Amino acid sequence: MSQTSRTADVPEALTAPLVVEFPFTRSLGPVQSAFLTGLRERVVLGVRTVEGRVLVPPAEYDPVTAAELRDLVEVGSTGTVTTWAWNPAPRPHQPLATPFAWALVRLDGADTALLHALDAPGPEAVRTGMRVRVRWAAERTGAITDIACFEPYEGEPYEGGATGEAAPHSGEFSDPVTGITTPARLDYTHSPGRAQSRYLAALAERRTVGERCPSCLKVYVPPRGACPTCGVATRDQVEVGPRGTVTTFCIVNIKAKNLDIKVPYVYAHIALDGADLALHARIGGIPYDEVRMGLRVEPVWRDDGRFPDHYRPTGEPDAGYDSYKELV
């Protein structure tokens, strides 16, 4: 295939909101299970080390000796602020919607401090050494959020836990919490830069473009603005494809969230005609067990035309291995 090459004017870089979200489910060992189940029952548990120190939150292994820890103890729901920082503008999903202090609180009976929110009217109302107590959430599920926050407290220790000594606890509860789902999410504005902005603009016109390195003359798709081999800047824009060759592939047997595709399906590296780097795309229009190296494919564009939904066989004879072996 002949390549179309030109040095394009530099467009304004695109920007768009982007969310990276990866919630995952993890199982809990006996120590963390007891700790979270205890919070659900309005009980704060720590763990005692061989040296007699009480760790809250409890750890499964001693941070000093690495010895396994299982000696659970109940501590108080009152404590002392050891250090703090004022948060004047809470972000979404933080413990409180109004300004609050992040505080390290050493609960009565504990030797380490727990990080949580402290509800106070202003920074002038917070000080190191002040006494606080747990404000329990109205609905508790077995999570650190069962502690809604801490609040100032000037009375005696309450609800169990003695100031001087932590009380032994079996860690046994009915219907224990055995697993949690941990959310991980990042919201930000992404700018793909000059090279990928041109690449995305071309996709909107149902064209695929890369950039040629002025040193090694290889064409990279998607373009990065610099040659990944030579490290020099690239500006010479080259239209490639639309057809290409499957170089390697994998069969996916797990259904992805929010992806309406029947499993199993295939994702492959596809070397577009005229390109020197294979891109990653889904293969459709063929049974998953008939996809093979050397299969010739072409794009099937989404209805909105923004990018190919998948690639399908062209019906051409398979490409010989020598034609794509450098891209495997």
Side-chain angles (χ1 to χ4, degrees):
M1 171 187 170
S2 61
Q3 298 176 330
T4 301
S5 177
R6 63 189 178 92
T7 300
D9 295 333
V10 179
E12 181 178 352
L14 300 173
T15 60
L18 188 64
V19 176
V20 179
E21 188 172 15
F22 183 60
F24 64 97
T25 300
R26 55 160 293 189
S27 58
L28 300 172
V31 173
Q32 298 301 322
S33 173
F35 175 65
L36 294 181
T37 307
L39 294 184
R40 188 189 66 195
E41 305 302 321
R42 295 170 54 127
V43 172
V44 183
L45 295 182
V47 68
R48 194 186 306 275
T49 69
V50 175
E51 293 78 11
R53 299 176 69 242
V54 174
L55 310 181
V56 178
E60 295 178 334
Y61 297 91
D62 192 312
V64 177
T65 66
E68 186 175 11
L69 302 177
R70 291 292 184 270
D71 186 11
L72 294 168
V73 294
E74 180 179 349
V75 299
S77 54
T78 55
T80 303
V81 172
T82 63
T83 189
W84 60 278
W86 188 251
N87 180 11
R91 298 176 64 85
H93 309 299
Q94 287 191 331
L96 299 172
T98 56
F100 64 91
W102 288 112
L104 285 171
V105 178
R106 186 175 61 245
L107 293 171
D108 297 332
D111 294 291
T112 59
L114 171 71
L115 176 66
H116 215 298
L118 170 59
D119 188 9
E124 69 284 349
V126 185
R127 67 185 187 280
T128 297
M130 72 181 292
R131 295 285 293 165
V132 295
R133 68 179 177 184
V134 170
R135 179 190 297 167
W136 296 103
E139 296 184 5
R140 298 178 302 281
T141 60
I144 191 61
T145 50
D146 290 351
I147 298 177
C149 63
F150 284 90
E151 61 187 12
Y153 180 67
E154 296 182 356
E156 294 298 320
Y158 80 126
E159 291 187 21
T163 301
E165 190 73 21
H169 196 285
S170 67
E172 296 181 1
F173 297 93
S174 61
D175 189 23
V177 178
T178 58
I180 58 173
T181 299
T182 303
R185 178 184 172 113
L186 178 64
D187 296 74
Y188 65 101
T189 299
H190 173 63
S191 177
R194 171 193 57 81
Q196 290 200 1
S197 291
R198 297 198 317 197
Y199 170 73
L200 294 172
L203 286 180
E205 300 173 355
R206 299 200 173 190
R207 298 184 299 114
T208 304
V209 299
E211 289 186 347
R212 178 184 285 116
C213 172
S215 177
C216 66
L217 302 182
K218 290 185 176 180
V219 176
Y220 293 101
V221 180
R224 296 173 171 83
C227 175
T229 301
C230 306
V232 299
T234 57
R235 289 185 179 274
D236 189 14
Q237 194 173 8
V238 178
E239 185 168 347
V240 299
R243 295 184 172 188
T245 301
V246 171
T247 61
T248 57
F249 64 93
C250 68
I251 298 173
V252 181
N253 292 292
I254 300 175
K255 184 173 178 59
K257 182 180 179 181
N258 299 326
L259 188 61
D260 188 21
I261 301 175
K262 183 179 179 181
V263 295
Y265 57 91
V266 174
Y267 263 92
H269 279 124
I270 301 170
L272 295 180
D273 296 339
D276 294 291
L277 184 70
L279 55 77
H280 192 60
R282 183 170 65 89
I283 304 298
I286 183 175
Y288 74 93
D289 55 356
E290 293 183 16
V291 177
R292 55 197 178 273
M293 295 173 66
L295 179 69
R296 294 285 294 163
V297 293
E298 62 185 1
V300 176
W301 294 87
R302 286 168 44 119
D303 292 339
D304 58 19
R306 290 188 297 168
F307 52 85
D309 178 74
H310 63 275
Y311 282 74
R312 68 186 176 194
T314 65
E316 301 172 277
D318 289 359
Y321 180 69
D322 287 344
S323 67
Y324 62 87
K325 65 181 181 180
E326 298 298 328
L327 300 178
V328 173

